[in-house]
């Protein structure tokens, strides 16, 4: 069983920045960030392979940067120019092969870290 622990969430004003972290108990080829606003469906935000190939949902391109430290089995999400619509519970997820932006493709999830953005 792979365990994931997210951290770095908080409350910021619009235009501010946060850096989320996710530490995994072992190596996985694909690491991803999802988010779920209250009362809405979970959405894929960004994914990164062990080799550094990335994907971003259009709404965060140019503002968010996903990265990973394979030696530490740690995933990061640098979030800049935050908007109120970015507010959500952010979840880390991993899978063994082939990245996906679909929640149903992931077996292992962290507990989530809350991001609040005020206008």
């Amino acid at each position: 069983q792979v365990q994931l622990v997210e951290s770095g969430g908080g409350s910021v004003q619009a235009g501010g920045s946060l850096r989320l972290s996710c530490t995994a108990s072992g190596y996985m080829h694909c690491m991803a960030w999802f988010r779920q606003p209250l009362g809405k469906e979970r959405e894929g935000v960004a994914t990164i392979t062990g080799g550094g190939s990335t994907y971003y949902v259009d709404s965060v391109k140019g503002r968010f940067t996903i990265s990973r430290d394979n030696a530490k089995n740690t995933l990061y999400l640098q979030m800049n120019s935050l908007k109120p619509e970015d507010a959500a519970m952010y979840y880390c997820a991993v899978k063994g092969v082939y990245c996906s932006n679909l929640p149903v493709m992931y077996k292992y999830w962290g507990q989530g870290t809350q991001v609040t953005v005020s206008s």
Side-chain angles (χ1 to χ4, degrees):
Q1 186 76 19
V2 177
Q3 294 183 310
L4 305 172
V5 180
E6 303 103 329
S7 62
S11 181
V12 298
Q13 294 187 39
S17 298
L18 286 172
R19 191 192 194 203
L20 308 183
S21 298
C22 170
T23 299
S25 60
Y27 175 85
M28 283 286 176
H29 175 71
C30 182
M31 305 187 80
W33 288 102
F34 292 80
R35 65 186 181 187
Q36 187 167 20
L38 185 63
K40 298 184 179 180
E41 295 183 351
R42 193 165 297 187
E43 172 191 39
V45 176
T47 65
I48 185 168
T49 69
S53 297
T54 60
Y55 154 84
Y56 298 93
V57 67
D58 286 346
S59 60
V60 308
K61 288 181 179 177
R63 300 188 298 120
F64 291 11
T65 302
I66 189 170
S67 61
R68 62 189 288 170
D69 184 336
N70 291 333
K72 298 180 179 180
N73 291 327
T74 300
L75 175 71
Y76 304 97
L77 185 67
Q78 178 66 47
M79 304 186 294
N80 298 326
S81 301
L82 282 162
K83 303 176 180 179
E85 51 263 46
D86 295 318
M89 185 72 75
Y90 281 72
Y91 296 93
C92 174
V94 300
K95 63 192 302 291
V97 293
Y98 303 120
C99 278
S100 173
N101 65 334
L102 301 176
V104 296
M105 300 300 293
Y106 290 81
K107 182 178 181 179
Y108 304 108
W109 295 84
Q111 82 288 349
T113 185
Q114 183 68 49
V115 172
T116 301
V117 184
S118 60
S119 61

